Amino acid sequence: MIRPVATLEEHLRRALGDGLLTQEPLRHHTTFRIGGPADYYFAAHVPDHLVAALRAASELGIPVFLLGGGSNLLVSDEGFRGLVVRNACDEVEFDGTAAHIGCGADFLDLIYQCRDRELSGLEFAAGIPGSVGGALYGNAGCYGEDIGSYTIECTITSLDGSKVETKPASWFQFAYRDSRLKRDPRVLISCLLQLRKGNRAEIQKVIDEKLEIRRVKHPQWRVEPTAGSYFKNLPPDWQMPGAKHSPGTRRVPAGQLLDEVGCRGLRVGDAMVFAKHANIIVNAGHASAREVLELAAIMKARVRERFGVELEEEVMFLGEKPRLGGLAGRR
Ligand SMILES: Cc1cc2nc3c(=O)[nH]c(=O)nc-3n(C[C@H](O)[C@H](O)[C@H](O)COP(=O)(O)OP(=O)(O)OC[C@H]3O[C@@H](n4cnc5c(N)ncnc54)[C@H](O)[C@@H]3O)c2cc1C
């Protein structure tokens, strides 16, 4: 008897077991609550499973995407043709003032664990959603600080899971919302961060302050889905036309330019510019990725026309981009 040829799904299931999901809606895994289905989806809770998933995808020739907390992502309405691997390896071990962290750990949860051990440093980032891996990938930060400055080294693997190695922080070339991983992709498995001895009450005070600032200024992503700031702030040498020249000052916020061109409250379908922050797009109902892209194109065009500068997206796009027609391409 001729045995039927195993399907791709059967091959993957043999490698990954019952944790493998098919046609999994990615809107369930992003803070924007937008995104069509992934052909295959697998949450890896231990590093061996993470590497096994990458190897299986590589052997079967399937495109793979590494997902953290999904808080900096806009996923196509058509979803993703391939395997989405969610890094859910979240073990944290402390060694004096250093912490060895599974990159699937939730960033805020890590900050609370540090507070409980009276370890100070990361509390500036309280309220940045997502995983530690996602934070390292984009060197997440705020108020002039970023996670890269606390990094000693990270353990990474090649995308096909064939080579696991540990690299010092310098290798990652951390910069403003940027790391080498954006140009030279690897999967972050774990990292070693350097903290300093602190005081629990003082750390908690900073956490409370940061969370309160966000509560007042930012959407609460669990009720007003969003991916945070949509565009990066301007390069450090960029000056607002007409403004007093002030070299060496911090970046001009993209939100300032977007405000000048009246973007607050702009809406395309259910994609809307947040009323309290012109650089944040919220999903005000059942927004599609197309609507968000159309809205973002209008925002960019307004800034380009008034200031002659091209805003650069901070939010990443996953999947196939639709062709934008009509007003979005022109305004
Ligand atoms: C309300 C709100 C406020 C925000 N405020 C800030 C802020 O103040 N500062 C800031 O910097 N960001 C902010 N963000 C954006 C976002 O939270 C951060 O960029 C966050 O660090 C992304 O982490 P994540 O795990 O959700 O990544 P994801 O969105 O899952 O992924 C983002 C990218 O990282 C890659 N990635 C994730 N994990 C790994 C891994 N283990 N190995 C390799 N690549 C990986 C993904 O492939 C993808 O390319 C905000 C977002 C929201 C919704």
Side-chain angles (χ1 to χ4, degrees):
M1 199 177 86
I2 301 169
R3 280 178 46 208
V5 179
T7 63
L8 213 52
E9 182 182 336
E10 284 163 346
H11 277 297
L12 273 176
R13 212 167 276 291
R14 261 180 231 153
L16 304 176
D18 288 341
L20 181 75
L21 305 179
T22 57
Q23 295 306 310
E24 176 65 6
L26 291 175
R27 66 176 184 281
H28 295 169
H29 302 279
T30 63
T31 57
F32 234 151
R33 300 282 176 261
I34 293 174
D39 287 345
Y40 305 105
Y41 176 95
F42 178 72
H45 292 271
V46 291
D48 282 354
H49 291 176
L50 186 62
V51 171
L54 298 173
R55 283 194 183 149
S58 161
E59 279 161 19
L60 295 167
I62 308 174
V64 71
F65 178 77
L66 207 290
L67 178 71
S71 66
N72 204 28
L73 277 186
L74 175 61
V75 180
S76 157
D77 301 315
E78 313 309 320
F80 180 67
R81 304 286 73 80
L83 171 68
V84 168
V85 180
R86 162 97 203 281
N87 183 352
C89 308
D90 60 358
E91 208 178 325
V92 180
E93 268 178 38
F94 289 91
D95 180 5
T97 53
H100 203 278
I101 302 147
C103 281
D106 179 78
F107 200 2
L108 183 58
D109 191 57
L110 171 68
I111 293 168
Y112 286 134
Q113 290 195 50
C114 292
R115 171 206 61 192
D116 291 345
R117 281 167 183 79
E118 305 215 291
L119 292 174
S120 172
L122 298 177
E123 54 275 17
F124 75 90
I128 299 183
S131 68
V132 172
L136 287 162
Y137 177 86
N139 192 22
C142 45
Y143 315 115
E145 288 206 71
D146 56 44
I147 188 168
S149 322
Y150 292 86
T151 307
I152 301 172
E153 62 184 32
C154 302
T155 299
I156 51 177
T157 169
S158 50
L159 290 190
D160 62 2
S162 66
K163 191 173 178 196
V164 175
E165 53 192 338
T166 298
K167 295 282 191 189
S170 58
W171 186 89
F172 292 87
Q173 301 164 357
F174 291 116
Y176 171 72
R177 297 301 92 83
D178 192 50
S179 79
R180 176 180 181 156
L181 299 181
K182 292 193 175 179
R183 296 167 288 282
D184 187 2
R186 301 284 204 285
V187 170
L188 288 147
I189 300 175
S190 61
C191 63
L192 185 64
L193 301 189
Q194 181 65 66
L195 306 154
R196 53 180 184 271
K197 202 71 200 137
N199 169 279
R200 192 183 199 284
E202 279 167 21
I203 297 169
Q204 183 65 54
K205 190 165 166 260
V206 177
I207 293 175
D208 290 342
E209 280 167 14
K210 303 301 182 202
L211 291 179
E212 180 57 15
I213 294 171
R214 285 175 185 271
R215 195 187 63 74
V216 174
K217 286 192 176 169
H218 293 176
Q220 300 301 299
W221 60 267
R222 287 190 173 82
V223 283
E224 283 175 295
T226 179
S229 294
Y230 198 88
F231 297 104
K232 291 181 183 177
N233 290 336
L234 279 294
D237 53 354
W238 193 84
Q239 298 282 324
M240 188 93 148
K244 232 175 86 200
H245 187 65
S246 50
T249 50
R250 63 189 183 90
R251 290 163 183 270
V252 174
Q256 197 176 324
L257 274 59
L258 290 160
D259 248 343
E260 294 272 339
V261 294
C263 283
R264 285 195 207 195
L266 266 184
R267 189 168 181 147
V268 173
D270 272 346
M272 199 176 92
V273 180
F274 188 52
K276 292 190 244 171
H277 197 311
N279 191 20
I280 293 182
I281 296 178
V282 292
N283 173 0
H286 298 95
S288 62
R290 171 183 281 277
E291 287 169 349
V292 173
L293 290 172
E294 285 184 358
L295 179 58
I298 293 168
M299 296 160 77
K300 265 179 108 159
R302 286 191 177 189
V303 168
R304 188 189 309 124
E305 268 164 35
R306 172 82 74 88
F307 299 104
V309 67
E310 191 71 13
L311 290 179
E312 194 190 330
E313 283 77 4
E314 183 175 325
V315 171
M316 270 157 259
F317 190 85
L318 173 64
E320 196 140 329
K321 265 196 181 159
R323 274 171 67 99
L324 300 184
L327 291 175
R330 284 182 271 128
R331 253 200 273 179

